[in-house]
Amino acid sequence: MTLFMQALRFSSSRLPFICRRSRTYSTEAGAIERVISAFRSVSGDEGVSVGSAVREQHGRDESAHRCRPPDVVVFPRSVEEVSALAKICHHHQLPIIPFGTGTGLEGGVGALQGGVCFSLRKMDQVLDLHQEDFDVTVEPGVTHRGLNSYLRDTGLWFPVDPGADASLCGMAATSASGTNAVRYGTMRGNVLNLEVVLADGTVLHTAGKGRRPRKTSAGYNLTSLFVGSEGTLGIITKATLRLFGIPESMVSAVCSFPSVQSAVDSTVQILQAGVPIARIEFLDDVMINACNHFNKLSYAVTPTLFLEFHGSSKNMEEQVSITEEITRDNGGSEFAWAEDEETRGRLWKARHDAGYAALALRPGCKAYSTDVCVPISRLPQIIVETKEDLIRNNITGPIAGHVGDGNFHCLIVLDPNDPDEVARVHSFTERLVRRALAMDGTCTGEHGIGLGKRALLREEVGPLAISVMQGIKATLDPKNLMNPGKVL
Amino acid sequence: MSGRVLVGVKRVIDYAVKIRVKPDRTGVVTDGVKHSMNPFCEIAVEEAVKLKEKKLVKEVVAVSCGPQQVQETIRTALAMGADRGIHVEVSGKDYETLGPLQVSKIFAALAKKEQADLIILGKQAIDDDCNQTGQMTAALLDWPQGTFASEVSFEADKLKVVREIDGGLETIKINLPAVVTADLRLNTPRYATLPNIMKAKKKKIANVKPADLGVDVCSRLEVLKVDEPPQRQAGVKVETVEDLVGKLKEAGRV
């Protein structure tokens, strides 16, 4: 009730400016001491850190955004501690920044206004596995690889696989996706329930406490609201996830193409043919070259598709033969197969390491990844135009992407100290996003808005939708303490 | 040649669990703690199943010693492709004191009973790190042994084993029947897929008691106490080299 009353007092147009203040806590020495001792009484001495190395570690992620360390890092061990710490922050008007594994790509954890980073790594239990119901509940310290390792004897897995070994609750916060999304979906479709702590310490169960039906029509979809909210609406302390059976057979293949157009055309045709392909990833010639060097492989340096088929041994044959016919018709090479666990693992590791492989092309530089996503029928056009743009402007930007979802990344490598290059990259990315938006797409398929894409969000959804989003933010976090300066 | 391979699978505390010592210091906490197949045993099962897929062996039998719960571990091996299982029932105090000597006696007896041509075990278990069962089993059977295997292949009627040793890799050729213990780089074990787990429910697990095999599981060892490793002490920063030397002398290090 209090949240609603507070929301009425703040109009949405003022919201982004409410908490704009300089970092005063370092000057009000007495205040910070009092707050820290209050934190310590909740989480213990080891649960609170003001060490500069720890703060810096919690002020950066894997993006190129510079480190913005918080004033304090706290390490709660339970949802009760998270709630108590949040109440203290709420009382003292301190920004709250949730932190999972720090593997985000959009600067989401930077403490722009200082404040308190809530590192959730001590809450690392897998709770409540229900094998026959295909669901499990996890705490924020559990990563997707950790969960799949835990599940390995059950024949179940959680297929959403972003490149990094990210926290599952963090993946829910950024609505993450991965190479398997074309068949298994993204976090949006695979989170059944969340436990969230709001800015004032209230503990909310978005679908009702402990509930895990596979589908529901009950009320407003609060679970979906928090998925993708990037820490700006609350701290996710539990996620109930949808699991899948590990398929009987998983086989990967590599197919080389004479041109970008033919590779992407094949992708569209494979999807339109209804092949339930599990992974279909595009790598352009620059990317393949980088991967060859970085992972010591020897694929042909030409636009390539990495494919993966899941199914029973019988229906695999059918999937493969339809796909092969399509790729052959588009000038694709014979498939190079990877059937056993080890070879398959090497193939997908090469794909997941694409960012590092790109960086290795120009040591000493920084990497920035674009993330546009368009309807699949527009994919051939946007990738061809983007590649021409990269070449014309002499930008190092190997392309790798989940073309099955219409999503691709230009892994741009640039020297941050070369102002001309920085300017060229900046205008390139603007053109790319506008190109995608003009094709009914989005500026971010899976990485999130974070710090750098807030203006693009406004262009994409329009001022009216932004206004509605701000109203929701004002209702749930009227003091704008939750990860201020991000998303909106 | 029966073409039969025995694979040992041990149920241990999962590698990802944080181990805690029991307050009475007689052992570690196992109640309510996640258990799974010893990772080196997974590699052993994978190797046996691969040999069967290449048609170099005919039957893979998964064996585990322990109480009722080890049946789960045997089922995982069956889901990975083993043909049948043998559960050697050991429980209570006998299970708490079960160690490599008793297990190798059990395996030696089973190898004779099942007329096995090959025994593949993990090189060691991650709970006790003994690294003894394979070697003891070979000695009891008077069979050759290829331990710390990173590669196994058949050459005519012999087994070629590449072993990981301190100095590098050693390749040996041994006669069959033999005992092989699996090292980390032997293979990457497959995941048990859901359809295969369902199919594995139909595969048979036979129950056997150590006494039926003529083995006495009484232990000759007594655990005196179990402690955690000493807590790491905080470091100390000093201002000058003189201070550093002074502190080192104080600690008797110089």
Side-chain angles (χ1 to χ4, degrees), chain A residues 290-317:
Chain A
C291 288
N292 278 345
H293 282 120
F294 190 74
N295 294 94
K296 311 221 188 330
L297 301 164
S298 50
Y299 292 119
V301 180
T302 175
T304 305
L305 288 181
F306 281 12
L307 306 146
E308 188 161 278
F309 303 90
H310 291 179
S312 70
S313 359
K314 285 207 189 102
N315 63 41
M316 294 283 264
E317 275 177 46

PDB file of all heavy atoms in Angstrom, chain A residues 290-317:
ATOM      1  N   ALA A 290      39.448 -15.848 -37.155  1.00  0.00           N
ATOM      2  CA  ALA A 290      39.826 -15.568 -35.760  1.00  0.00           C
ATOM      3  C   ALA A 290      39.728 -16.835 -34.921  1.00  0.00           C
ATOM      4  O   ALA A 290      40.622 -17.129 -34.116  1.00  0.00           O
ATOM      5  CB  ALA A 290      38.926 -14.478 -35.189  1.00  0.00           C
ATOM      6  N   CYS A 291      38.646 -17.611 -35.109  1.00  0.00           N
ATOM      7  CA  CYS A 291      38.467 -18.842 -34.330  1.00  0.00           C
ATOM      8  C   CYS A 291      39.549 -19.860 -34.659  1.00  0.00           C
ATOM      9  O   CYS A 291      40.052 -20.552 -33.779  1.00  0.00           O
ATOM     10  CB  CYS A 291      37.106 -19.471 -34.616  1.00  0.00           C
ATOM     11  SG  CYS A 291      35.754 -18.544 -33.892  1.00  0.00           S
ATOM     12  N   ASN A 292      39.887 -19.959 -35.944  1.00  0.00           N
ATOM     13  CA  ASN A 292      40.938 -20.895 -36.327  1.00  0.00           C
ATOM     14  C   ASN A 292      42.216 -20.603 -35.559  1.00  0.00           C
ATOM     15  O   ASN A 292      42.862 -21.498 -35.018  1.00  0.00           O
ATOM     16  CB  ASN A 292      41.219 -20.805 -37.832  1.00  0.00           C
ATOM     17  CG  ASN A 292      40.229 -21.611 -38.658  1.00  0.00           C
ATOM     18  OD1 ASN A 292      39.505 -22.443 -38.131  1.00  0.00           O
ATOM     19  ND2 ASN A 292      40.217 -21.371 -39.957  1.00  0.00           N
ATOM     20  N   HIS A 293      42.577 -19.299 -35.494  1.00  0.00           N
ATOM     21  CA  HIS A 293      43.806 -18.941 -34.800  1.00  0.00           C
ATOM     22  C   HIS A 293      43.698 -19.164 -33.311  1.00  0.00           C
ATOM     23  O   HIS A 293      44.590 -19.696 -32.680  1.00  0.00           O
ATOM     24  CB  HIS A 293      44.158 -17.462 -35.075  1.00  0.00           C
ATOM     25  CG  HIS A 293      44.766 -17.264 -36.421  1.00  0.00           C
ATOM     26  ND1 HIS A 293      44.219 -16.461 -37.388  1.00  0.00           N
ATOM     27  CD2 HIS A 293      45.877 -17.801 -36.976  1.00  0.00           C
ATOM     28  CE1 HIS A 293      44.956 -16.505 -38.474  1.00  0.00           C
ATOM     29  NE2 HIS A 293      45.968 -17.309 -38.256  1.00  0.00           N
ATOM     30  N   PHE A 294      42.577 -18.724 -32.724  1.00  0.00           N
ATOM     31  CA  PHE A 294      42.445 -18.761 -31.273  1.00  0.00           C
ATOM     32  C   PHE A 294      42.309 -20.178 -30.735  1.00  0.00           C
ATOM     33  O   PHE A 294      42.882 -20.530 -29.710  1.00  0.00           O
ATOM     34  CB  PHE A 294      41.230 -17.919 -30.866  1.00  0.00           C
ATOM     35  CG  PHE A 294      41.108 -17.683 -29.398  1.00  0.00           C
ATOM     36  CD1 PHE A 294      41.959 -16.798 -28.756  1.00  0.00           C
ATOM     37  CD2 PHE A 294      40.136 -18.338 -28.649  1.00  0.00           C
ATOM     38  CE1 PHE A 294      41.849 -16.574 -27.382  1.00  0.00           C
ATOM     39  CE2 PHE A 294      40.021 -18.113 -27.289  1.00  0.00           C
ATOM     40  CZ  PHE A 294      40.883 -17.230 -26.654  1.00  0.00           C
ATOM     41  N   ASN A 295      41.514 -21.011 -31.423  1.00  0.00           N
ATOM     42  CA  ASN A 295      41.257 -22.361 -30.933  1.00  0.00           C
ATOM     43  C   ASN A 295      42.036 -23.432 -31.684  1.00  0.00           C
ATOM     44  O   ASN A 295      41.775 -24.618 -31.508  1.00  0.00           O
ATOM     45  CB  ASN A 295      39.753 -22.688 -31.032  1.00  0.00           C
ATOM     46  CG  ASN A 295      38.926 -21.829 -30.099  1.00  0.00           C
ATOM     47  OD1 ASN A 295      38.414 -20.799 -30.491  1.00  0.00           O
ATOM     48  ND2 ASN A 295      38.820 -22.245 -28.856  1.00  0.00           N
ATOM     49  N   LYS A 296      42.957 -23.030 -32.505  1.00  0.00           N
ATOM     50  CA  LYS A 296      43.794 -23.949 -33.290  1.00  0.00           C
ATOM     51  C   LYS A 296      42.934 -24.945 -34.075  1.00  0.00           C
ATOM     52  O   LYS A 296      43.072 -26.160 -33.964  1.00  0.00           O
ATOM     53  CB  LYS A 296      44.762 -24.712 -32.363  1.00  0.00           C
ATOM     54  CG  LYS A 296      45.498 -23.782 -31.418  1.00  0.00           C
ATOM     55  CD  LYS A 296      46.939 -24.111 -31.241  1.00  0.00           C
ATOM     56  CE  LYS A 296      47.607 -23.291 -30.149  1.00  0.00           C
ATOM     57  NZ  LYS A 296      47.103 -21.949 -29.880  1.00  0.00           N
ATOM     58  N   LEU A 297      42.005 -24.378 -34.860  1.00  0.00           N
ATOM     59  CA  LEU A 297      41.176 -25.223 -35.717  1.00  0.00           C
ATOM     60  C   LEU A 297      41.568 -24.934 -37.158  1.00  0.00           C
ATOM     61  O   LEU A 297      42.415 -24.085 -37.424  1.00  0.00           O
ATOM     62  CB  LEU A 297      39.700 -24.870 -35.503  1.00  0.00           C
ATOM     63  CG  LEU A 297      39.210 -25.049 -34.081  1.00  0.00           C
ATOM     64  CD1 LEU A 297      37.895 -24.316 -33.895  1.00  0.00           C
ATOM     65  CD2 LEU A 297      39.039 -26.511 -33.746  1.00  0.00           C
ATOM     66  N   SER A 298      40.901 -25.652 -38.092  1.00  0.00           N
ATOM     67  CA  SER A 298      41.269 -25.404 -39.496  1.00  0.00           C
ATOM     68  C   SER A 298      40.036 -25.450 -40.385  1.00  0.00           C
ATOM     69  O   SER A 298      39.986 -26.191 -41.359  1.00  0.00           O
ATOM     70  CB  SER A 298      42.304 -26.430 -39.946  1.00  0.00           C
ATOM     71  OG  SER A 298      41.826 -27.725 -39.612  1.00  0.00           O
ATOM     72  N   TYR A 299      39.026 -24.642 -40.020  1.00  0.00           N
ATOM     73  CA  TYR A 299      37.841 -24.572 -40.881  1.00  0.00           C
ATOM     74  C   TYR A 299      38.143 -23.683 -42.081  1.00  0.00           C
ATOM     75  O   TYR A 299      38.974 -22.778 -42.007  1.00  0.00           O
ATOM     76  CB  TYR A 299      36.653 -24.008 -40.101  1.00  0.00           C
ATOM     77  CG  TYR A 299      36.164 -24.936 -39.020  1.00  0.00           C
ATOM     78  CD1 TYR A 299      36.174 -24.546 -37.686  1.00  0.00           C
ATOM     79  CD2 TYR A 299      35.692 -26.206 -39.324  1.00  0.00           C
ATOM     80  CE1 TYR A 299      35.727 -25.396 -36.693  1.00  0.00           C
ATOM     81  CE2 TYR A 299      35.253 -27.063 -38.331  1.00  0.00           C
ATOM     82  CZ  TYR A 299      35.273 -26.649 -37.013  1.00  0.00           C
ATOM     83  OH  TYR A 299      34.832 -27.488 -36.041  1.00  0.00           O
ATOM     84  N   ALA A 300      37.427 -23.923 -43.189  1.00  0.00           N
ATOM     85  CA  ALA A 300      37.611 -23.097 -44.387  1.00  0.00           C
ATOM     86  C   ALA A 300      37.204 -21.666 -44.073  1.00  0.00           C
ATOM     87  O   ALA A 300      36.168 -21.433 -43.438  1.00  0.00           O
ATOM     88  CB  ALA A 300      36.748 -23.638 -45.527  1.00  0.00           C
ATOM     89  N   VAL A 301      38.021 -20.708 -44.549  1.00  0.00           N
ATOM     90  CA  VAL A 301      37.777 -19.311 -44.172  1.00  0.00           C
ATOM     91  C   VAL A 301      36.766 -18.686 -45.126  1.00  0.00           C
ATOM     92  O   VAL A 301      37.105 -18.042 -46.115  1.00  0.00           O
ATOM     93  CB  VAL A 301      39.102 -18.517 -44.164  1.00  0.00           C
ATOM     94  CG1 VAL A 301      38.833 -17.067 -43.775  1.00  0.00           C
ATOM     95  CG2 VAL A 301      40.075 -19.145 -43.179  1.00  0.00           C
ATOM     96  N   THR A 302      35.508 -18.903 -44.796  1.00  0.00           N
ATOM     97  CA  THR A 302      34.415 -18.487 -45.675  1.00  0.00           C
ATOM     98  C   THR A 302      33.160 -18.478 -44.795  1.00  0.00           C
ATOM     99  O   THR A 302      33.174 -19.100 -43.725  1.00  0.00           O
ATOM    100  CB  THR A 302      34.334 -19.495 -46.854  1.00  0.00           C
ATOM    101  OG1 THR A 302      33.217 -19.184 -47.654  1.00  0.00           O
ATOM    102  CG2 THR A 302      34.200 -20.917 -46.350  1.00  0.00           C
ATOM    103  N   PRO A 303      32.080 -17.770 -45.177  1.00  0.00           N
ATOM    104  CA  PRO A 303      30.884 -17.779 -44.315  1.00  0.00           C
ATOM    105  C   PRO A 303      30.447 -19.205 -43.994  1.00  0.00           C
ATOM    106  O   PRO A 303      30.416 -20.069 -44.870  1.00  0.00           O
ATOM    107  CB  PRO A 303      29.832 -17.054 -45.162  1.00  0.00           C
ATOM    108  CG  PRO A 303      30.616 -16.203 -46.088  1.00  0.00           C
ATOM    109  CD  PRO A 303      31.896 -16.913 -46.361  1.00  0.00           C
ATOM    110  N   THR A 304      30.146 -19.443 -42.738  1.00  0.00           N
ATOM    111  CA  THR A 304      29.932 -20.821 -42.266  1.00  0.00           C
ATOM    112  C   THR A 304      28.721 -20.913 -41.361  1.00  0.00           C
ATOM    113  O   THR A 304      28.380 -19.948 -40.667  1.00  0.00           O
ATOM    114  CB  THR A 304      31.179 -21.263 -41.458  1.00  0.00           C
ATOM    115  OG1 THR A 304      32.327 -21.104 -42.267  1.00  0.00           O
ATOM    116  CG2 THR A 304      31.077 -22.724 -41.013  1.00  0.00           C
ATOM    117  N   LEU A 305      28.062 -22.064 -41.381  1.00  0.00           N
ATOM    118  CA  LEU A 305      27.021 -22.347 -40.400  1.00  0.00           C
ATOM    119  C   LEU A 305      27.481 -23.500 -39.507  1.00  0.00           C
ATOM    120  O   LEU A 305      27.981 -24.503 -39.994  1.00  0.00           O
ATOM    121  CB  LEU A 305      25.717 -22.757 -41.096  1.00  0.00           C
ATOM    122  CG  LEU A 305      24.919 -21.686 -41.832  1.00  0.00           C
ATOM    123  CD1 LEU A 305      23.655 -22.284 -42.443  1.00  0.00           C
ATOM    124  CD2 LEU A 305      24.525 -20.550 -40.891  1.00  0.00           C
ATOM    125  N   PHE A 306      27.337 -23.312 -38.181  1.00  0.00           N
ATOM    126  CA  PHE A 306      27.504 -24.417 -37.233  1.00  0.00           C
ATOM    127  C   PHE A 306      26.091 -24.875 -36.904  1.00  0.00           C
ATOM    128  O   PHE A 306      25.268 -24.073 -36.474  1.00  0.00           O
ATOM    129  CB  PHE A 306      28.171 -23.930 -35.926  1.00  0.00           C
ATOM    130  CG  PHE A 306      29.655 -23.732 -35.980  1.00  0.00           C
ATOM    131  CD1 PHE A 306      30.358 -23.722 -37.175  1.00  0.00           C
ATOM    132  CD2 PHE A 306      30.365 -23.541 -34.807  1.00  0.00           C
ATOM    133  CE1 PHE A 306      31.733 -23.530 -37.203  1.00  0.00           C
ATOM    134  CE2 PHE A 306      31.746 -23.353 -34.817  1.00  0.00           C
ATOM    135  CZ  PHE A 306      32.427 -23.336 -36.012  1.00  0.00           C
ATOM    136  N   LEU A 307      25.809 -26.156 -37.117  1.00  0.00           N
ATOM    137  CA  LEU A 307      24.448 -26.655 -36.906  1.00  0.00           C
ATOM    138  C   LEU A 307      24.440 -27.727 -35.834  1.00  0.00           C
ATOM    139  O   LEU A 307      25.443 -28.436 -35.664  1.00  0.00           O
ATOM    140  CB  LEU A 307      23.931 -27.297 -38.204  1.00  0.00           C
ATOM    141  CG  LEU A 307      23.996 -26.428 -39.451  1.00  0.00           C
ATOM    142  CD1 LEU A 307      24.283 -27.275 -40.671  1.00  0.00           C
ATOM    143  CD2 LEU A 307      22.690 -25.695 -39.632  1.00  0.00           C
ATOM    144  N   GLU A 308      23.341 -27.858 -35.122  1.00  0.00           N
ATOM    145  CA  GLU A 308      23.208 -28.990 -34.203  1.00  0.00           C
ATOM    146  C   GLU A 308      21.796 -29.548 -34.276  1.00  0.00           C
ATOM    147  O   GLU A 308      20.819 -28.790 -34.294  1.00  0.00           O
ATOM    148  CB  GLU A 308      23.552 -28.596 -32.765  1.00  0.00           C
ATOM    149  CG  GLU A 308      23.591 -29.817 -31.845  1.00  0.00           C
ATOM    150  CD  GLU A 308      24.354 -29.562 -30.566  1.00  0.00           C
ATOM    151  OE1 GLU A 308      25.590 -29.649 -30.578  1.00  0.00           O
ATOM    152  OE2 GLU A 308      23.698 -29.290 -29.539  1.00  0.00           O
ATOM    153  N   PHE A 309      21.727 -30.876 -34.305  1.00  0.00           N
ATOM    154  CA  PHE A 309      20.439 -31.570 -34.386  1.00  0.00           C
ATOM    155  C   PHE A 309      20.224 -32.367 -33.104  1.00  0.00           C
ATOM    156  O   PHE A 309      21.133 -33.051 -32.640  1.00  0.00           O
ATOM    157  CB  PHE A 309      20.436 -32.545 -35.574  1.00  0.00           C
ATOM    158  CG  PHE A 309      20.728 -31.883 -36.896  1.00  0.00           C
ATOM    159  CD1 PHE A 309      22.028 -31.775 -37.362  1.00  0.00           C
ATOM    160  CD2 PHE A 309      19.697 -31.359 -37.669  1.00  0.00           C
ATOM    161  CE1 PHE A 309      22.304 -31.165 -38.574  1.00  0.00           C
ATOM    162  CE2 PHE A 309      19.961 -30.749 -38.887  1.00  0.00           C
ATOM    163  CZ  PHE A 309      21.266 -30.652 -39.342  1.00  0.00           C
ATOM    164  N   HIS A 310      19.036 -32.278 -32.539  1.00  0.00           N
ATOM    165  CA  HIS A 310      18.693 -33.066 -31.354  1.00  0.00           C
ATOM    166  C   HIS A 310      17.513 -33.951 -31.691  1.00  0.00           C
ATOM    167  O   HIS A 310      16.567 -33.506 -32.358  1.00  0.00           O
ATOM    168  CB  HIS A 310      18.258 -32.153 -30.197  1.00  0.00           C
ATOM    169  CG  HIS A 310      19.364 -31.337 -29.623  1.00  0.00           C
ATOM    170  ND1 HIS A 310      19.164 -30.443 -28.592  1.00  0.00           N
ATOM    171  CD2 HIS A 310      20.679 -31.251 -29.906  1.00  0.00           C
ATOM    172  CE1 HIS A 310      20.303 -29.853 -28.284  1.00  0.00           C
ATOM    173  NE2 HIS A 310      21.239 -30.325 -29.067  1.00  0.00           N
ATOM    174  N   GLY A 311      17.529 -35.174 -31.187  1.00  0.00           N
ATOM    175  CA  GLY A 311      16.349 -36.009 -31.394  1.00  0.00           C
ATOM    176  C   GLY A 311      16.669 -37.460 -31.144  1.00  0.00           C
ATOM    177  O   GLY A 311      17.703 -37.797 -30.579  1.00  0.00           O
ATOM    178  N   SER A 312      15.758 -38.321 -31.540  1.00  0.00           N
ATOM    179  CA  SER A 312      16.035 -39.754 -31.454  1.00  0.00           C
ATOM    180  C   SER A 312      16.839 -40.116 -32.699  1.00  0.00           C
ATOM    181  O   SER A 312      16.842 -39.379 -33.681  1.00  0.00           O
ATOM    182  CB  SER A 312      14.734 -40.536 -31.426  1.00  0.00           C
ATOM    183  OG  SER A 312      14.129 -40.460 -32.706  1.00  0.00           O
ATOM    184  N   SER A 313      17.501 -41.247 -32.675  1.00  0.00           N
ATOM    185  CA  SER A 313      18.346 -41.604 -33.828  1.00  0.00           C
ATOM    186  C   SER A 313      17.520 -41.669 -35.105  1.00  0.00           C
ATOM    187  O   SER A 313      17.992 -41.313 -36.177  1.00  0.00           O
ATOM    188  CB  SER A 313      19.072 -42.930 -33.597  1.00  0.00           C
ATOM    189  OG  SER A 313      18.750 -43.438 -32.353  1.00  0.00           O
ATOM    190  N   LYS A 314      16.246 -42.060 -34.992  1.00  0.00           N
ATOM    191  CA  LYS A 314      15.407 -42.170 -36.195  1.00  0.00           C
ATOM    192  C   LYS A 314      15.105 -40.805 -36.784  1.00  0.00           C
ATOM    193  O   LYS A 314      15.315 -40.574 -37.976  1.00  0.00           O
ATOM    194  CB  LYS A 314      14.089 -42.885 -35.876  1.00  0.00           C
ATOM    195  CG  LYS A 314      14.224 -44.359 -35.709  1.00  0.00           C
ATOM    196  CD  LYS A 314      12.925 -45.111 -36.058  1.00  0.00           C
ATOM    197  CE  LYS A 314      13.065 -46.566 -35.649  1.00  0.00           C
ATOM    198  NZ  LYS A 314      12.360 -46.872 -34.397  1.00  0.00           N
ATOM    199  N   ASN A 315      14.596 -39.876 -35.939  1.00  0.00           N
ATOM    200  CA  ASN A 315      14.182 -38.625 -36.582  1.00  0.00           C
ATOM    201  C   ASN A 315      15.363 -37.710 -36.912  1.00  0.00           C
ATOM    202  O   ASN A 315      15.225 -36.775 -37.681  1.00  0.00           O
ATOM    203  CB  ASN A 315      13.038 -37.914 -35.840  1.00  0.00           C
ATOM    204  CG  ASN A 315      13.400 -37.468 -34.452  1.00  0.00           C
ATOM    205  OD1 ASN A 315      14.499 -36.977 -34.215  1.00  0.00           O
ATOM    206  ND2 ASN A 315      12.457 -37.620 -33.528  1.00  0.00           N
ATOM    207  N   MET A 316      16.539 -38.035 -36.403  1.00  0.00           N
ATOM    208  CA  MET A 316      17.742 -37.302 -36.797  1.00  0.00           C
ATOM    209  C   MET A 316      17.985 -37.424 -38.287  1.00  0.00           C
ATOM    210  O   MET A 316      18.315 -36.462 -38.972  1.00  0.00           O
ATOM    211  CB  MET A 316      18.968 -37.863 -36.090  1.00  0.00           C
ATOM    212  CG  MET A 316      18.946 -37.650 -34.640  1.00  0.00           C
ATOM    213  SD  MET A 316      19.376 -35.977 -34.273  1.00  0.00           S
ATOM    214  CE  MET A 316      21.075 -36.247 -33.966  1.00  0.00           C
ATOM    215  N   GLU A 317      17.847 -38.676 -38.789  1.00  0.00           N
ATOM    216  CA  GLU A 317      18.142 -38.918 -40.214  1.00  0.00           C
ATOM    217  C   GLU A 317      17.301 -37.999 -41.081  1.00  0.00           C
ATOM    218  O   GLU A 317      17.799 -37.422 -42.043  1.00  0.00           O
ATOM    219  CB  GLU A 317      17.801 -40.366 -40.572  1.00  0.00           C
ATOM    220  CG  GLU A 317      18.911 -41.349 -40.266  1.00  0.00           C
ATOM    221  CD  GLU A 317      18.487 -42.772 -40.579  1.00  0.00           C
ATOM    222  OE1 GLU A 317      17.913 -42.978 -41.672  1.00  0.00           O
ATOM    223  OE2 GLU A 317      18.695 -43.637 -39.717  1.00  0.00           O
TER     224      GLU A 317
END
